[in-house]
Amino acid sequence: FFFHPHPAIRDAQESRGLGDVYKRQNNLWRPFMKSTGYNDIIRKSPFGPIKAHMQVSTNSVDELLRFIEFVVASDWSGATQSRKLISDLENQADELKAETRSLLPKSIFFAVPREDILDLIKLADDIPNTVKDISGLMIGRNMEIPSTIHQSFQNFILEAKEITYAAAEAVDHIDELFQFSFGGKAAEKMQILLEKLDSLENSNDQTEITLRGELFKIEKDLPPVDVMFLYDVINKIGELSDRAEQVGHRISLIASR
């Protein structure tokens, strides 16, 4: 069995409380930021950094769901707190990305190119960046989501979360793929995960079409500027799903080289 790259690469668990999410992600990422321990992780596996970063990415998407719940309820105090946590997570992701670059010296030999590892973590970094953009756009305008599209809007976000978790699952298996020289059962398992990503992305595309259709039906009754920004948010949620899918399929490119 040979691992085949995906032909077209495009640029689920219940959400936790704010304090619980912060404590969980804080305990996960901070040990990686200590130079000696982080260096050991990289020497043991060059994919250690991307695993650490994907944990921050999934946490940011979890928090986006909570943020949307606050917005739907017009709870702008809660939304503001959630937005602060999203910003903190994005900052932590940036620090982790910078730390990775400094601790992947060219003097260390890896079985995969150093540039591939850095490209992979850059793609993962787009996830918390996009989450921050979405929350910033919505809270900056105290954006109301019309009640007639609440369900489709929330479904769209939930599916983006599922795609992000599927990408994180693919990242979790990359060491196994690496250990078996990107072949055998490890490659079969990765191929299944990538097919799962494709299926989730296709479903997400259909949900986006449905959501856009529902918004189109009521847009004449809404302020034009509000409609414009609602479409912008929908676009960015679609981009969030695309970025997560890219992470999974970039692994297939690395494996095929």
Side-chain angles (χ1 to χ4, degrees), residues 31-119:
F32 294 116
M33 302 302 289
K34 297 178 180 179
S35 296
T36 54
Y38 198 65
N39 239 332
D40 289 342
I41 289 170
I42 292 175
R43 289 176 182 276
K44 182 178 179 181
S45 166
F47 298 110
I50 182 63
K51 288 186 176 185
H53 195 288
M54 278 303 294
Q55 181 63 63
V56 178
S57 296
T58 54
N59 286 345
S60 69
V61 176
D62 282 342
E63 193 54 42
L64 179 62
L65 263 70
R66 280 183 54 79
F67 174 82
I68 295 298
E69 290 170 1
F70 287 129
V71 171
V72 168
S74 296
D75 181 354
W76 294 107
S77 175
T80 298
Q81 294 180 55
S82 182
R83 160 69 178 175
K84 174 64 167 60
L85 180 52
I86 286 171
S87 295
D88 289 344
L89 287 164
E90 192 270 339
N91 290 336
Q92 291 164 14
D94 284 343
E95 290 179 33
L96 190 53
K97 180 177 68 173
E99 189 78 358
T100 300
R101 287 173 174 167
S102 66
L103 291 176
L104 278 177
K106 296 179 180 179
S107 58
I108 297 179
F109 173 77
F110 298 121
V112 294
R114 175 180 180 273
E115 291 74 19
D116 282 346
I117 300 171
L118 294 177
D119 284 347

Side-chain angles (χ1 to χ4, degrees), residues 157-176:
I157 292 281
L158 281 169
E159 289 177 357
K161 172 186 173 178
E162 290 178 7
I163 293 170
T164 304
Y165 268 78
E169 187 178 1
V171 169
D172 282 342
H173 282 84
I174 197 171
D175 271 327
E176 184 180 358

Side-chain angles (χ1 to χ4, degrees), residues 6-257:
H6 191 266
I9 299 178
R10 300 189 304 168
D11 272 336
Q13 61 197 44
E14 188 176 354
S15 182
R16 303 169 183 81
L18 287 172
D20 187 41
V21 172
Y22 187 83
K23 178 189 287 186
R24 180 169 173 267
Q25 58 83 20
N26 200 36
N27 290 337
L28 280 163
W29 80 272
R30 286 198 181 278
F32 294 116
M33 302 302 289
K34 297 178 180 179
S35 296
T36 54
Y38 198 65
N39 239 332
D40 289 342
I41 289 170
I42 292 175
R43 289 176 182 276
K44 182 178 179 181
S45 166
F47 298 110
I50 182 63
K51 288 186 176 185
H53 195 288
M54 278 303 294
Q55 181 63 63
V56 178
S57 296
T58 54
N59 286 345
S60 69
V61 176
D62 282 342
E63 193 54 42
L64 179 62
L65 263 70
R66 280 183 54 79
F67 174 82
I68 295 298
E69 290 170 1
F70 287 129
V71 171
V72 168
S74 296
D75 181 354
W76 294 107
S77 175
T80 298
Q81 294 180 55
S82 182
R83 160 69 178 175
K84 174 64 167 60
L85 180 52
I86 286 171
S87 295
D88 289 344
L89 287 164
E90 192 270 339
N91 290 336
Q92 291 164 14
D94 284 343
E95 290 179 33
L96 190 53
K97 180 177 68 173
E99 189 78 358
T100 300
R101 287 173 174 167
S102 66
L103 291 176
L104 278 177
K106 296 179 180 179
S107 58
I108 297 179
F109 173 77
F110 298 121
V112 294
R114 175 180 180 273
E115 291 74 19
D116 282 346
I117 300 171
L118 294 177
D119 284 347
L120 193 58
I121 204 166
K122 181 180 181 300
L123 284 174
D125 195 58
D126 284 339
I127 295 173
N129 287 345
T130 304
V131 168
K132 183 179 179 181
D133 289 345
I134 293 168
S135 62
L137 183 61
M138 297 186 74
I139 204 165
R141 294 184 54 81
N142 281 9
M143 186 180 293
E144 298 284 348
I145 302 172
S147 59
T148 53
I149 67 171
H150 276 179
Q151 191 60 56
S152 293
F153 194 90
Q154 289 177 305
N155 288 343
F156 194 37
I157 292 281
L158 281 169
E159 289 177 357
K161 172 186 173 178
E162 290 178 7
I163 293 170
T164 304
Y165 268 78
E169 187 178 1
V171 169
D172 282 342
H173 282 84
I174 197 171
D175 271 327
E176 184 180 358
L177 189 66
F178 175 76
Q179 181 180 355
F180 291 98
S181 302
F182 303 103
K185 290 185 178 180
E188 292 178 9
K189 184 184 295 184
M190 184 63 74
Q191 194 68 42
I192 290 171
L193 287 173
L194 295 182
E195 289 171 0
K196 177 182 177 181
L197 264 175
D198 286 342
S199 177
L200 289 170
E201 175 63 19
N202 288 337
S203 176
N204 190 245
D205 288 343
Q206 292 304 311
T207 301
E208 181 174 0
I209 291 171
T210 299
L211 177 56
R212 286 177 174 278
E214 291 177 358
L215 179 56
F216 177 75
K217 289 179 182 179
I218 62 171
E219 65 178 32
K220 64 180 179 298
D221 301 320
L222 301 171
V225 174
D226 289 354
V227 172
M228 179 184 70
F229 278 101
L230 277 169
Y231 278 121
D232 194 15
V233 167
I234 292 171
N235 284 338
K236 289 184 182 301
I237 296 171
E239 290 172 7
L240 175 63
S241 299
D242 289 344
R243 296 300 176 265
E245 186 187 28
Q246 276 188 309
V247 170
H249 288 303
R250 180 56 62 92
I251 294 173
S252 75
L253 280 182
I254 295 173
S256 67
R257 290 176 181 174

